[in-house]
Amino acid sequence: MTDPASVAFRSTCPLASVLDIIGDKWTLVIMRDMLAGKTRFSEFLDSPEGLSPRVLSQRLSFLESQGMIQKVQAGRTHPAYVLTDKAMELKEVGIRLAEWGLRHIPGRVSPYLDKFRDED
Amino acid sequence: MTDPASVAFRSTCPLASVLDIIGDKWTLVIMRDMLAGKTRFSEFLDSPEGLSPRVLSQRLSFLESQGMIQKVQAGRTHPAYVLTDKAMELKEVGIRLAEWGLRHIPGRVSPYLDKFRDED
DNA sequence: CAGTATCCATTTTGATACTG
DNA sequence: CAGTATCAAAATGGATACTG
């Protein structure tokens, strides 16, 4: 794996630094979709949140540069994006965030959460 | 930004919706400082990440409108901001994010993490 | 001290057209 | 299909002066 590209970390605080990598509204959504089995560019574009190809492309590149995802392309097939082990270590955090959302935000619906939990 | 903000949720997904509330680079940093015992406006401004009074004010108002923090003002004393129980339920998530940062981002330093862990 | 107001630069985004 | 290019619009941010 290549060295992660440098990020302009605001401090040496580990929490703030993690946020410098995944602290936005899109990154964990993309990772959620990967966890749900999506691998292709067009599949991510189809998410209900509706992100643009521009933003998706930017996030994928950045996440790859940070060693969070890997772009796999075998021959002439469609590229597949998969989470690295490093990123998978955030799965539990994602589940807990979603559970918090279910508890505290009315009207949330989660078809996949039970499935994710069971895989642990 | 004084209106009791309703959030423009992008979807009914609980994870995406949580990110619509705390999905940025500043919110969890402010909550971290509250967890560390800070309660006052000027204390938050002193954080090593260096946020402006403008951003701080915006985030505090929004978080209060979302029931994440409470502004406590007794008489003529300085206002104190404290996390609600609802927000405290994200403490464990914050700890896990910080631990991930310590493991995967070189050079991170965390004087308070052990303390936070012990309080659980 | 606790914020708010202002000004302005930078970033981010959306929509969409376009290319291999 | 998998992106990139482009352009305008909007959100966000920093710095700082200012008020009760």
Side-chain angles (χ1 to χ4, degrees):
Chain A
M1 184 185 305
T2 58
D3 273 6
S6 67
V7 181
F9 293 116
R10 292 167 293 172
S11 72
T12 58
C13 168
L15 176 61
S17 300
V18 169
L19 294 177
D20 286 329
I21 297 176
I22 62 163
D24 66 80
K25 300 199 188 307
W26 288 115
T27 299
L28 287 182
V29 164
I30 296 169
M31 290 171 64
R32 170 205 68 188
D33 283 353
M34 291 186 184
L35 220 41
K38 295 184 179 181
T39 63
R40 290 168 53 176
F41 199 89
S42 59
E43 292 180 297
F44 301 128
L45 283 184
D46 286 340
S47 79
E49 292 81 17
L51 81 177
S52 65
R54 190 174 190 277
V55 171
L56 177 56
S57 176
Q58 287 170 348
R59 289 299 186 289
L60 290 176
S61 296
F62 178 70
L63 286 174
E64 193 182 11
S65 82
Q66 297 306 307
M68 302 292 282
I69 66 179
Q70 216 183 336
K71 183 177 182 175
V72 180
Q73 187 156 22
R76 204 174 271 82
T77 61
H78 300 287
Y81 293 95
V82 293
L83 296 170
T84 62
D85 292 345
K86 179 171 155 180
M88 283 296 290
E89 288 179 34
L90 289 175
K91 176 182 174 182
E92 181 68 25
V93 165
I95 291 176
R96 293 200 179 216
L97 285 171
E99 289 174 338
W100 186 95
L102 278 181
R103 283 200 303 280
H104 293 290
I105 310 173
R108 298 313 97 183
V109 178
S110 183
Y112 292 117
L113 191 48
D114 287 335
K115 177 175 178 301
F116 290 162
R117 269 189 287 240
D118 291 345
E119 290 167 357
D120 284 338
Chain B
M1 218 136 296
T2 46
D3 292 10
S6 64
V7 183
F9 292 115
R10 291 167 295 172
S11 72
T12 58
C13 168
L15 176 61
S17 300
V18 170
L19 295 176
D20 286 330
I21 297 176
I22 63 162
D24 67 79
K25 299 197 186 310
W26 289 115
T27 299
L28 288 182
V29 165
I30 296 169
M31 290 170 65
R32 170 205 68 188
D33 284 352
M34 291 187 185
L35 221 39
K38 295 184 179 180
T39 63
R40 290 168 52 175
F41 200 89
S42 59
E43 291 180 298
F44 301 128
L45 283 184
D46 285 340
S47 78
E49 291 80 18
L51 81 178
S52 64
R54 189 176 190 272
V55 170
L56 178 57
S57 176
Q58 288 170 346
R59 290 298 186 289
L60 290 175
S61 297
F62 178 71
L63 286 174
E64 193 180 12
S65 81
Q66 298 305 308
M68 302 291 283
I69 66 178
Q70 215 184 337
K71 183 176 181 176
V72 181
Q73 187 155 20
R76 199 175 271 82
T77 61
H78 299 287
Y81 293 95
V82 293
L83 296 171
T84 62
D85 292 346
K86 178 172 156 181
M88 283 297 289
E89 289 179 33
L90 288 175
K91 176 182 174 182
E92 182 67 26
V93 165
I95 291 175
R96 292 195 181 222
L97 285 171
E99 289 174 337
W100 186 95
L102 278 182
R103 282 200 304 281
H104 293 289
I105 310 174
R108 298 313 97 181
V109 178
S110 182
Y112 291 115
L113 191 49
D114 286 335
K115 178 174 179 302
F116 290 162
R117 267 189 290 240
D118 291 345
E119 290 166 357
D120 286 337

PDB file of all heavy atoms in Angstrom, chain A residues 49 100-101 105 108, chain B residues 7 9-22:
ATOM      1  N   GLU A  49     -29.338   9.547  -0.906  1.00  0.00           N
ATOM      2  CA  GLU A  49     -28.889  10.897  -0.549  1.00  0.00           C
ATOM      3  C   GLU A  49     -28.529  11.714  -1.780  1.00  0.00           C
ATOM      4  O   GLU A  49     -28.510  12.931  -1.721  1.00  0.00           O
ATOM      5  CB  GLU A  49     -27.684  10.833   0.399  1.00  0.00           C
ATOM      6  CG  GLU A  49     -28.021  10.295   1.781  1.00  0.00           C
ATOM      7  CD  GLU A  49     -28.089   8.775   1.805  1.00  0.00           C
ATOM      8  OE1 GLU A  49     -27.557   8.158   0.848  1.00  0.00           O
ATOM      9  OE2 GLU A  49     -28.669   8.203   2.745  1.00  0.00           O
ATOM     10  N   TRP A 100     -27.758   5.153  17.237  1.00  0.00           N
ATOM     11  CA  TRP A 100     -28.086   6.415  17.901  1.00  0.00           C
ATOM     12  C   TRP A 100     -29.138   7.169  17.094  1.00  0.00           C
ATOM     13  O   TRP A 100     -30.103   7.695  17.652  1.00  0.00           O
ATOM     14  CB  TRP A 100     -26.822   7.251  18.060  1.00  0.00           C
ATOM     15  CG  TRP A 100     -26.989   8.508  18.864  1.00  0.00           C
ATOM     16  CD1 TRP A 100     -26.738   8.676  20.187  1.00  0.00           C
ATOM     17  CD2 TRP A 100     -27.440   9.788  18.379  1.00  0.00           C
ATOM     18  NE1 TRP A 100     -27.015   9.973  20.567  1.00  0.00           N
ATOM     19  CE2 TRP A 100     -27.447  10.669  19.479  1.00  0.00           C
ATOM     20  CE3 TRP A 100     -27.841  10.259  17.135  1.00  0.00           C
ATOM     21  CZ2 TRP A 100     -27.837  12.006  19.359  1.00  0.00           C
ATOM     22  CZ3 TRP A 100     -28.236  11.588  17.015  1.00  0.00           C
ATOM     23  CH2 TRP A 100     -28.225  12.445  18.123  1.00  0.00           C
ATOM     24  N   GLY A 101     -28.954   7.195  15.796  1.00  0.00           N
ATOM     25  CA  GLY A 101     -29.913   7.869  14.930  1.00  0.00           C
ATOM     26  C   GLY A 101     -31.300   7.252  15.021  1.00  0.00           C
ATOM     27  O   GLY A 101     -32.306   7.958  15.064  1.00  0.00           O
ATOM     28  N   ILE A 105     -33.677  10.132  16.321  1.00  0.00           N
ATOM     29  CA  ILE A 105     -34.252  10.916  15.229  1.00  0.00           C
ATOM     30  C   ILE A 105     -35.500  10.204  14.718  1.00  0.00           C
ATOM     31  O   ILE A 105     -35.410   9.080  14.225  1.00  0.00           O
ATOM     32  CB  ILE A 105     -33.243  11.105  14.075  1.00  0.00           C
ATOM     33  CG1 ILE A 105     -31.896  11.601  14.615  1.00  0.00           C
ATOM     34  CG2 ILE A 105     -33.802  12.080  13.048  1.00  0.00           C
ATOM     35  CD1 ILE A 105     -30.808  11.656  13.558  1.00  0.00           C
ATOM     36  N   ARG A 108     -36.560   7.467  11.194  1.00  0.00           N
ATOM     37  CA  ARG A 108     -35.433   6.845  10.488  1.00  0.00           C
ATOM     38  C   ARG A 108     -35.774   5.391  10.181  1.00  0.00           C
ATOM     39  O   ARG A 108     -36.422   4.707  10.956  1.00  0.00           O
ATOM     40  CB  ARG A 108     -34.144   6.895  11.316  1.00  0.00           C
ATOM     41  CG  ARG A 108     -33.624   8.273  11.637  1.00  0.00           C
ATOM     42  CD  ARG A 108     -33.586   9.178  10.452  1.00  0.00           C
ATOM     43  NE  ARG A 108     -34.768  10.023  10.415  1.00  0.00           N
ATOM     44  CZ  ARG A 108     -35.046  10.885   9.441  1.00  0.00           C
ATOM     45  NH1 ARG A 108     -34.221  11.041   8.449  1.00  0.00           N
ATOM     46  NH2 ARG A 108     -36.156  11.590   9.456  1.00  0.00           N
TER      47      ARG A 108
ATOM     48  N   VAL B   7     -33.569  20.259  10.574  1.00  0.00           N
ATOM     49  CA  VAL B   7     -32.464  19.794   9.752  1.00  0.00           C
ATOM     50  C   VAL B   7     -33.001  19.276   8.426  1.00  0.00           C
ATOM     51  O   VAL B   7     -34.024  18.602   8.386  1.00  0.00           O
ATOM     52  CB  VAL B   7     -31.698  18.666  10.477  1.00  0.00           C
ATOM     53  CG1 VAL B   7     -30.511  18.227   9.648  1.00  0.00           C
ATOM     54  CG2 VAL B   7     -31.270  19.127  11.842  1.00  0.00           C
ATOM     55  N   PHE B   9     -32.738  16.729   6.396  1.00  0.00           N
ATOM     56  CA  PHE B   9     -32.200  15.378   6.264  1.00  0.00           C
ATOM     57  C   PHE B   9     -32.204  14.933   4.808  1.00  0.00           C
ATOM     58  O   PHE B   9     -33.186  15.120   4.097  1.00  0.00           O
ATOM     59  CB  PHE B   9     -33.011  14.397   7.106  1.00  0.00           C
ATOM     60  CG  PHE B   9     -32.856  14.612   8.582  1.00  0.00           C
ATOM     61  CD1 PHE B   9     -33.942  15.004   9.353  1.00  0.00           C
ATOM     62  CD2 PHE B   9     -31.635  14.424   9.209  1.00  0.00           C
ATOM     63  CE1 PHE B   9     -33.800  15.210  10.725  1.00  0.00           C
ATOM     64  CE2 PHE B   9     -31.489  14.626  10.573  1.00  0.00           C
ATOM     65  CZ  PHE B   9     -32.573  15.020  11.327  1.00  0.00           C
ATOM     66  N   ARG B  10     -31.099  14.337   4.404  1.00  0.00           N
ATOM     67  CA  ARG B  10     -30.979  13.914   3.009  1.00  0.00           C
ATOM     68  C   ARG B  10     -31.727  12.642   2.687  1.00  0.00           C
ATOM     69  O   ARG B  10     -32.013  12.346   1.523  1.00  0.00           O
ATOM     70  CB  ARG B  10     -29.497  13.717   2.662  1.00  0.00           C
ATOM     71  CG  ARG B  10     -28.690  14.986   2.622  1.00  0.00           C
ATOM     72  CD  ARG B  10     -27.207  14.679   2.598  1.00  0.00           C
ATOM     73  NE  ARG B  10     -26.763  14.031   3.830  1.00  0.00           N
ATOM     74  CZ  ARG B  10     -25.553  13.515   4.021  1.00  0.00           C
ATOM     75  NH1 ARG B  10     -24.677  13.547   3.050  1.00  0.00           N
ATOM     76  NH2 ARG B  10     -25.224  12.954   5.167  1.00  0.00           N
ATOM     77  N   SER B  11     -31.991  11.853   3.714  1.00  0.00           N
ATOM     78  CA  SER B  11     -32.697  10.584   3.519  1.00  0.00           C
ATOM     79  C   SER B  11     -33.208  10.129   4.880  1.00  0.00           C
ATOM     80  O   SER B  11     -33.003  10.814   5.878  1.00  0.00           O
ATOM     81  CB  SER B  11     -31.761   9.524   2.944  1.00  0.00           C
ATOM     82  OG  SER B  11     -30.823   9.102   3.938  1.00  0.00           O
ATOM     83  N   THR B  12     -33.853   8.986   4.920  1.00  0.00           N
ATOM     84  CA  THR B  12     -34.315   8.448   6.199  1.00  0.00           C
ATOM     85  C   THR B  12     -33.289   7.493   6.808  1.00  0.00           C
ATOM     86  O   THR B  12     -33.549   6.896   7.852  1.00  0.00           O
ATOM     87  CB  THR B  12     -35.653   7.701   6.039  1.00  0.00           C
ATOM     88  OG1 THR B  12     -35.480   6.648   5.091  1.00  0.00           O
ATOM     89  CG2 THR B  12     -36.757   8.650   5.590  1.00  0.00           C
ATOM     90  N   CYS B  13     -32.163   7.359   6.170  1.00  0.00           N
ATOM     91  CA  CYS B  13     -31.106   6.492   6.711  1.00  0.00           C
ATOM     92  C   CYS B  13     -30.596   7.065   8.030  1.00  0.00           C
ATOM     93  O   CYS B  13     -30.238   8.251   8.109  1.00  0.00           O
ATOM     94  CB  CYS B  13     -29.951   6.390   5.720  1.00  0.00           C
ATOM     95  SG  CYS B  13     -28.464   5.637   6.433  1.00  0.00           S
ATOM     96  N   PRO B  14     -30.569   6.254   9.081  1.00  0.00           N
ATOM     97  CA  PRO B  14     -30.143   6.755  10.383  1.00  0.00           C
ATOM     98  C   PRO B  14     -28.702   7.239  10.407  1.00  0.00           C
ATOM     99  O   PRO B  14     -28.388   8.222  11.084  1.00  0.00           O
ATOM    100  CB  PRO B  14     -30.334   5.552  11.312  1.00  0.00           C
ATOM    101  CG  PRO B  14     -30.449   4.366  10.435  1.00  0.00           C
ATOM    102  CD  PRO B  14     -30.972   4.829   9.117  1.00  0.00           C
ATOM    103  N   LEU B  15     -27.837   6.571   9.672  1.00  0.00           N
ATOM    104  CA  LEU B  15     -26.440   7.014   9.647  1.00  0.00           C
ATOM    105  C   LEU B  15     -26.310   8.348   8.931  1.00  0.00           C
ATOM    106  O   LEU B  15     -25.694   9.290   9.449  1.00  0.00           O
ATOM    107  CB  LEU B  15     -25.550   5.968   8.961  1.00  0.00           C
ATOM    108  CG  LEU B  15     -24.090   6.384   8.802  1.00  0.00           C
ATOM    109  CD1 LEU B  15     -23.422   6.636  10.141  1.00  0.00           C
ATOM    110  CD2 LEU B  15     -23.307   5.334   8.016  1.00  0.00           C
ATOM    111  N   ALA B  16     -26.894   8.443   7.750  1.00  0.00           N
ATOM    112  CA  ALA B  16     -26.832   9.705   7.007  1.00  0.00           C
ATOM    113  C   ALA B  16     -27.441  10.836   7.823  1.00  0.00           C
ATOM    114  O   ALA B  16     -26.938  11.964   7.821  1.00  0.00           O
ATOM    115  CB  ALA B  16     -27.555   9.559   5.664  1.00  0.00           C
ATOM    116  N   SER B  17     -28.493  10.525   8.571  1.00  0.00           N
ATOM    117  CA  SER B  17     -29.171  11.559   9.352  1.00  0.00           C
ATOM    118  C   SER B  17     -28.323  12.026  10.533  1.00  0.00           C
ATOM    119  O   SER B  17     -28.326  13.210  10.875  1.00  0.00           O
ATOM    120  CB  SER B  17     -30.518  11.036   9.847  1.00  0.00           C
ATOM    121  OG  SER B  17     -31.347  10.685   8.750  1.00  0.00           O
ATOM    122  N   VAL B  18     -27.623  11.100  11.148  1.00  0.00           N
ATOM    123  CA  VAL B  18     -26.708  11.498  12.215  1.00  0.00           C
ATOM    124  C   VAL B  18     -25.640  12.421  11.648  1.00  0.00           C
ATOM    125  O   VAL B  18     -25.294  13.440  12.258  1.00  0.00           O
ATOM    126  CB  VAL B  18     -26.044  10.261  12.864  1.00  0.00           C
ATOM    127  CG1 VAL B  18     -24.921  10.674  13.789  1.00  0.00           C
ATOM    128  CG2 VAL B  18     -27.080   9.440  13.624  1.00  0.00           C
ATOM    129  N   LEU B  19     -25.165  12.080  10.474  1.00  0.00           N
ATOM    130  CA  LEU B  19     -24.154  12.933   9.846  1.00  0.00           C
ATOM    131  C   LEU B  19     -24.717  14.301   9.492  1.00  0.00           C
ATOM    132  O   LEU B  19     -23.987  15.293   9.469  1.00  0.00           O
ATOM    133  CB  LEU B  19     -23.587  12.249   8.589  1.00  0.00           C
ATOM    134  CG  LEU B  19     -22.815  10.957   8.856  1.00  0.00           C
ATOM    135  CD1 LEU B  19     -22.386  10.315   7.546  1.00  0.00           C
ATOM    136  CD2 LEU B  19     -21.613  11.211   9.750  1.00  0.00           C
ATOM    137  N   ASP B  20     -26.008  14.362   9.228  1.00  0.00           N
ATOM    138  CA  ASP B  20     -26.618  15.667   8.978  1.00  0.00           C
ATOM    139  C   ASP B  20     -26.574  16.544  10.233  1.00  0.00           C
ATOM    140  O   ASP B  20     -26.722  17.759  10.153  1.00  0.00           O
ATOM    141  CB  ASP B  20     -28.071  15.489   8.512  1.00  0.00           C
ATOM    142  CG  ASP B  20     -28.151  14.979   7.079  1.00  0.00           C
ATOM    143  OD1 ASP B  20     -27.240  15.296   6.281  1.00  0.00           O
ATOM    144  OD2 ASP B  20     -29.112  14.258   6.748  1.00  0.00           O
ATOM    145  N   ILE B  21     -26.375  15.911  11.375  1.00  0.00           N
ATOM    146  CA  ILE B  21     -26.288  16.674  12.631  1.00  0.00           C
ATOM    147  C   ILE B  21     -24.843  16.894  13.078  1.00  0.00           C
ATOM    148  O   ILE B  21     -24.445  18.006  13.397  1.00  0.00           O
ATOM    149  CB  ILE B  21     -27.071  15.951  13.756  1.00  0.00           C
ATOM    150  CG1 ILE B  21     -28.560  15.891  13.386  1.00  0.00           C
ATOM    151  CG2 ILE B  21     -26.897  16.674  15.096  1.00  0.00           C
ATOM    152  CD1 ILE B  21     -29.414  15.131  14.375  1.00  0.00           C
ATOM    153  N   ILE B  22     -24.063  15.840  13.096  1.00  0.00           N
ATOM    154  CA  ILE B  22     -22.693  15.963  13.614  1.00  0.00           C
ATOM    155  C   ILE B  22     -21.617  15.732  12.555  1.00  0.00           C
ATOM    156  O   ILE B  22     -20.435  15.621  12.894  1.00  0.00           O
ATOM    157  CB  ILE B  22     -22.451  14.983  14.781  1.00  0.00           C
ATOM    158  CG1 ILE B  22     -22.597  13.543  14.288  1.00  0.00           C
ATOM    159  CG2 ILE B  22     -23.397  15.251  15.943  1.00  0.00           C
ATOM    160  CD1 ILE B  22     -21.971  12.526  15.225  1.00  0.00           C
TER     161      ILE B  22
END
